[in-house]
């Protein structure tokens, strides 16, 4: 038998003596372990909350700050292991021992190390029932005191705690932003940086935003390709700062495509919403999402999960999937909450689905919850129902009543502007004096976006208010004048393009009142030298929407594109070319500009979004620029198959627009570049599309009758004529070699009917079927939409049509609305003389 070592005997003797001398100290010594490790090991063995709470109850007198932190950690880990249906935050929060743990943390938080402090803060927030938990406030204050010593990972975790409390604009979040800015150069952890970027995005400058984008681009290749969460946060950051930065978005998109198996319904839904906001198109991601979401249809049998699937898949689903989604949702419709009904309605708007049964069921749920919706939600309801052509007096009346009640108490300019806009969409959008005075009260605080929204609403009232008293319309006209005054004031006080652009970014140029638009363009011209590769795409897009021709701005855009093309992402080239195409303008360095843009795109033709490539080809064709490589990349079987797949997932209206532009591009190449030998294959599409032609407006009917008089009879003029390649001509006549009108005979087209084509398509055109020396004349009536907004300069697609008609053998006479309605042509005789002069070259003496 082994002998006990002498030193151990001595130790036991000393301890017994100590117990006799100081029994109290011995009791403490007996129950407090030399190391805290055994208690933590015991906690780690707990498998449910009750075991942890029993442990806290037994050991509350001796738990250290580290053990308190461990107890919080264990409770949170157990919650994370549960499904959403099994989580029991309230049960945990209301347990007596949770209060004990809460009090222990309150007493010991100053002793906690930095990691434990932030972790306890995070977990306490998850369980907190009160909006102002004293422990949370104490932990935040202590963390603020230690902030400068936090590393980037801990800083990111703490910023998320503040974000959970919606403290995005707090001085503390500003302090975190300052620390990030000071340490940005040495930061290497993109995962933590991406969290910080999202959380501080609301209060950083444009310059700092760009620095973060540059740093992210630099560090992106250092992260693992499976980091879906990092890619999602980067995309969220770009959404938050409203910056569609293509290079980063492509990198994030590649991460998503490489990790399809990791993406569930929630993550796909989130990514698609971010892409929609940023207007970032990824055909590959949408097709992947469509496939994966379609497989989930049989698995989602609970209203909450199925609504999310409907909202996410619906807008990109094919016809069969849409049918399946709608029929399943009809069965669940009575169980929808108010929030779910609104989500479904907005998805139906995106889907352009006017299924009357489903709309009726959804609006029934909406009506039940209408009082609980916030102002912005009421706007979304109004917009969606207006788009879906839903009309029910009782519903509209209640909606209007709620909007007006919110308007009377609202004082936030943006909220007032969208409430007014929502009211203007409803039947009888008339506003009383109280409503008008509410608008006037916020005008001095409004930015250009708010003012533009108000102007749109007021103009809609004026159009609809013919049934009301003249005094009401007079007040609205005065309101328009005030809007114009405050708009000019803001424009004149702008001192940089960046600040001006913050206000113009979401203004659609075609909604601006005329005088305000003119002042806006003048202000942009003042800052013309500040247009660079960073903002050129946004400026070009704004000009495209204004229909306002400013050669100074367009020349600058072309110059920036030529000089800084390497800094401009190829996928944004369409936006740069579009204003030139829309406004029919060739810059001084035309060939160099278009050539540089197309050359920059060439290596991306195989991966460019099909829709974008069609629009690009059409825009260039409008400008009489036909790059052979680009066009042949469109007109081949492989590309057209990809385009067909994409058309299936687009809304019906967008799909029709894309098909129409493809037809126009096909027609333009056949007529203007026959040497490319690209066949014409749109006969069937055009026959379907042109079924509705033949209806004339008042001015066209007036011209038609006068033409019949001028030409010597109704048989000498044809209306709504289809040409080869399916251009529609307002009026056509034929003059022989002596300039005498030739009658068409009994086959002339009656008004409102589809005419027969005078010639067969795909035949040689010039002089076809005409007597020797005769000429075919096309007369086109051009309304204000055919011209630029500021000058009578014909827009691109109308100039292209004139070229095509001339190639087809027509002499084209274009009658401008401005000319026809001018004082010079105010009498019938003057108009008759005008037509004779244009057709026969006769000048009345």
């Amino acid at each position: 038998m082994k002998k006990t070592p002498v030193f151990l005997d001595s130790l036991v003797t000393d301890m017994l003596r100590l117990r006799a001398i100081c029994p109290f100290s011995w009791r403490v010594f007996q129950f407090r372990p030399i190391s805290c490790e055994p208690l933590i090991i015991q906690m780690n063995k707990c498998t449910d909350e009750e075991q942890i709470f029993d442990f806290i109850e037994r050991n509350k007198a001796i738990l250290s700050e580290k053990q308190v932190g461990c107890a919080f950690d264990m409770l949170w880990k157990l919650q994370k292991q549960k499904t959403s249906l099994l989580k029991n935050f309230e049960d945990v929060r209301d347990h007596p021992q949770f209060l004990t743990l809460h009090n222990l943390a309150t007493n010991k938080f100053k002793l906690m190390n930095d990691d434990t402090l932030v972790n306890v803060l995070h977990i306490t927030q998850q369980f907190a029932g009160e909006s102002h938990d004293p422990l949370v406030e104490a932990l935040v204050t202590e963390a603020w005191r230690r902030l400068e010593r936090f590393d980037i990972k801990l800083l990111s975790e703490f910023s998320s705690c503040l974000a959970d409390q919606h403290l995005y604009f707090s001085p503390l979040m500003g302090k975190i932003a300052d620390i990030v800015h000071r340490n940005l150069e040495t930061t290497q952890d993109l995962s933590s940086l991406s969290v910080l970027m999202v959380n501080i995005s609301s209060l950083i400058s444009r310059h700092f935003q760009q620095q973060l984008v540059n740093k992210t681009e630099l560090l992106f290749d250092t992260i693992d390709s499976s980091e879906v969460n990092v890619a999602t946060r980067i995309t969220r950051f770009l959404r938050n700062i409203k910056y569609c930065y293509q290079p980063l978005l492509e990198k994030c998109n590649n991460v998503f495509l490489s990790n399809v198996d990791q993406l569930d319904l929630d993550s796909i839904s989130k990514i698609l919403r971010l892409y929609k906001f940023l207007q970032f198109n990824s055909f590959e991601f949408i097709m992947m999402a469509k496939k994966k979401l379609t497989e989930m249809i049989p698995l989602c049998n609970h209203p909450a999960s199925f609504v999310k699937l409907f909202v996410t898949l619906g807008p990109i689903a094919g016809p069969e999937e849409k049918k399946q989604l709608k029929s399943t949702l009809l069965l669940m419709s009575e169980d929808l909450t108010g929030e779910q009904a609104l989500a479904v309605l907005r998805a139906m708007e995106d889907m352009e689905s006017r299924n009357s049964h489903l709309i009726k069921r959804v609006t029934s749920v909406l009506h039940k919850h209408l009082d609980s919706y916030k102002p912005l939600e009421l706007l979304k309801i109004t917009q969606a129902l207006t788009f879906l052509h839903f009309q029910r007096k009782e519903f509209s009346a209640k909606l209007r009543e709620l909007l007006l009640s919110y308007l009377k108490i609202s004082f936030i300019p943006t909220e007032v502007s969208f409430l007014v806009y929502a009211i203007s969409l409803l039947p009888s959008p008339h506003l009383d004096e109280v409503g008008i005075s509410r608008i006037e009260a916020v005008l001095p605080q409004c930015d250009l976006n708010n003012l533009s929204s108000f102007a749109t609403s007021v103009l809609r009232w004026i159009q609809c208010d013919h049934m009301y008293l003249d005094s009401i319309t007079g007040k609205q006209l005065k309101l328009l004048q005030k809007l114009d005054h405050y708009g000019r004031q803001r424009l004149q006080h702008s001192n940089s393009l960046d600040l001006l652009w913050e206000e113009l970014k979401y203004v659609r140029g075609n909604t601006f009142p005329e005088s305000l638009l003119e002042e806006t363009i003048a202000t942009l011209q003042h800052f013309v030298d500040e247009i660079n590769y960073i903002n050129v795409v946004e400026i070009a897009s704004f000009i495209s929407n204004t229909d306002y021709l400013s050669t100074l701005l367009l020349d600058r855009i072309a110059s920036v594109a030529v000089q800084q093309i390497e800094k401009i992402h190829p996928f944004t080239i369409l936006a740069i070319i579009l204003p030139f195409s829309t406004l029919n303008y060739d810059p001084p360095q035309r060939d160099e500009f278009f050539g540089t843009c197309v050359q920059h795109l060439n290596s991306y033709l195989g991966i460019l979004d099909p829709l974008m490539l069609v629009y690009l080809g059409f825009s260039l064709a409008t400008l009489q620029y036909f790059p052979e490589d680009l066009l042949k990349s469109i007109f081949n079987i492989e590309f057209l198959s990809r385009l067909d797949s994409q058309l299936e997932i687009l809304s019906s209206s967008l799909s029709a627009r894309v098909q129409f532009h493809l037809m126009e591009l096909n027609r333009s190449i056949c007529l203007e570049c026959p040497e490319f030998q690209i066949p014409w294959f749109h006969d069937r599409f055009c026959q379907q599309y042109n079924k509705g032609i033949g209806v004339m407006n008042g001015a066209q009917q007036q011209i038609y009758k006068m033409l019949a008089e001028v030409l010597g009879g109704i048989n000498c003029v044809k209306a709504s004529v289809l040409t080869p390649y399916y251009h529609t001509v307002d009026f056509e006549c034929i003059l022989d070699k002596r300039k005498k009108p030739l009658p068409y005979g009994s086959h002339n087209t009656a008004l409102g009917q589809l005419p027969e084509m005078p010639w067969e398509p795909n035949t040689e055109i010039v002089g076809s079927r005409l007597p020797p020396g005769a000429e075919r004349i096309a007369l086109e009536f051009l309304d204000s939409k055919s011209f630029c907004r500021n000058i009578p300069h014909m827009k691109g697609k109308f100039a292209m049509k004139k070229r095509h008609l001339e190639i087809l053998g027509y002499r084209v006479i274009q009658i401008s609305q401005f000319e026809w309605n001018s004082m010079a042509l105010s009498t019938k005789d003057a108009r008759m003389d005008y037509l004779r002069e244009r057709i026969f070259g006769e000048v009345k003496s």
Side-chain angles (χ1 to χ4, degrees), residues 520-534:
T520 302
I521 296 294
T523 308
L524 287 172
Q525 289 174 340
H526 179 71
F527 296 125
V528 67
D529 293 335
E530 294 181 38
I531 298 176
N532 54 38
Y533 72 94
I534 295 172

Side-chain angles (χ1 to χ4, degrees), residues 694-711 714 717 719 730-731 751 779-781 815-822 825-835 839:
V695 178
M696 293 189 287
N697 61 34
Q700 287 171 321
Q701 289 184 20
Q702 188 183 53
I703 294 171
Y704 184 53
K705 290 173 184 175
M706 289 186 181
L707 282 171
E709 287 187 51
V710 167
L711 293 167
I714 201 77
V717 58
D730 290 342
F731 309 104
L751 292 185
L779 293 101
E780 289 278 281
F781 180 77
I815 303 170
S816 157
Q817 172 186 302
F818 308 112
E819 211 173 354
W820 188 252
N821 293 325
S822 66
L825 301 183
S826 57
T827 64
K828 181 182 176 181
D829 288 344
R831 286 174 171 174
M832 297 280 281
D833 290 341
Y834 170 82
L835 291 174
I839 295 169

Side-chain angles (χ1 to χ4, degrees), residues 286-318:
I286 289 175
M287 293 306 292
M288 177 281 297
K290 179 188 171 188
K291 180 177 182 297
K292 188 147 188 173
L293 294 171
T294 302
E295 292 166 359
M296 296 180 192
I297 294 178
L299 307 176
C300 294
N301 48 22
H302 188 273
S305 58
F306 189 80
V307 165
K308 181 166 279 191
L309 180 65
F310 183 92
V311 168
T312 309
L313 176 58
I316 60 173

Side-chain angles (χ1 to χ4, degrees), residues 313-427:
L313 176 58
I316 60 173
E320 284 304 312
E321 292 88 1
K322 283 181 179 175
K323 187 176 178 183
Q324 194 176 352
L325 287 169
K326 290 174 194 173
S327 59
T328 306
L329 191 64
L330 269 170
L331 300 175
M332 295 182 177
S333 57
E334 291 182 4
D335 300 321
L336 297 179
T337 65
E339 186 181 354
Q340 290 165 353
L342 174 56
V344 168
L345 183 71
R346 296 195 68 204
M348 291 179 71
E349 180 185 10
D350 289 339
M351 295 159 68
E352 299 181 0
S353 170
R354 295 185 171 93
N355 183 305
S356 58
H357 294 299
L358 189 52
I359 292 174
K360 189 175 179 182
R361 294 277 186 90
V362 172
T363 50
S364 163
V365 178
L366 290 169
H367 201 172
K368 198 189 311 178
H369 295 276
L370 212 51
D371 290 318
S372 64
Y373 291 116
K374 295 174 183 174
L376 185 57
E377 292 170 326
L378 292 175
L379 168 65
K380 291 171 181 176
I381 291 170
T382 309
Q383 286 177 311
L385 293 179
T386 302
F387 179 82
L388 295 173
H389 302 156
F390 172 82
Q391 290 182 337
R392 190 184 292 169
K393 285 185 178 179
E394 185 186 348
F395 190 96
S396 296
K398 186 170 182 184
L399 192 53
R400 178 182 170 82
E401 181 186 326
L402 284 168
L403 288 166
L404 285 169
S405 67
Y406 276 119
L407 179 61
K408 286 172 183 174
I409 60 172
S410 181
F411 56 88
I412 301 168
T414 301
E415 186 174 87
V416 173
S417 73
F418 66 63
L419 284 168
V420 168
Y421 179 69
I423 292 167
S424 77
L425 295 174
L426 293 171

Side-chain angles (χ1 to χ4, degrees), residues 22-61:
C22 188
F24 176 76
S25 297
W26 172 254
R27 280 199 302 276
V28 175
F29 184 82
Q30 184 183 17
F31 288 100
R32 185 170 179 88
I34 297 169
S35 166
C36 62
E37 198 64 26
L39 287 179
I40 289 178
I41 290 171
Q42 287 177 51
M43 264 191 281
N44 286 334
K45 290 178 180 177
C46 295
T47 56
D48 60 41
E49 288 90 347
E50 282 302 324
Q51 291 180 12
I52 295 173
F53 288 139
D54 287 345
F55 176 86
I56 292 169
E57 187 174 16
R58 290 195 312 270
N59 297 283
K60 58 189 174 188

Side-chain angles (χ1 to χ4, degrees), residues 578-631:
L578 200 55
F580 297 88
S581 166
T582 302
L583 301 171
N584 187 29
Y585 177 70
D586 286 338
Q589 69 276 49
R590 175 188 190 276
D591 291 339
E592 184 184 8
F593 168 54
F594 295 141
T596 301
C597 288
V598 170
Q599 184 64 36
H600 194 48
L601 267 174
N602 276 343
S603 56
Y604 293 86
L605 294 178
I607 60 171
L608 202 64
D609 185 74
L611 181 152
M612 191 183 296
L613 200 53
V614 169
Y615 274 87
L616 184 65
F618 170 71
S619 296
L620 290 168
T622 305
L623 291 156
Q624 289 182 275
Y625 196 84
F626 299 94
E628 189 169 359
D629 289 345
L630 186 146
L631 295 172

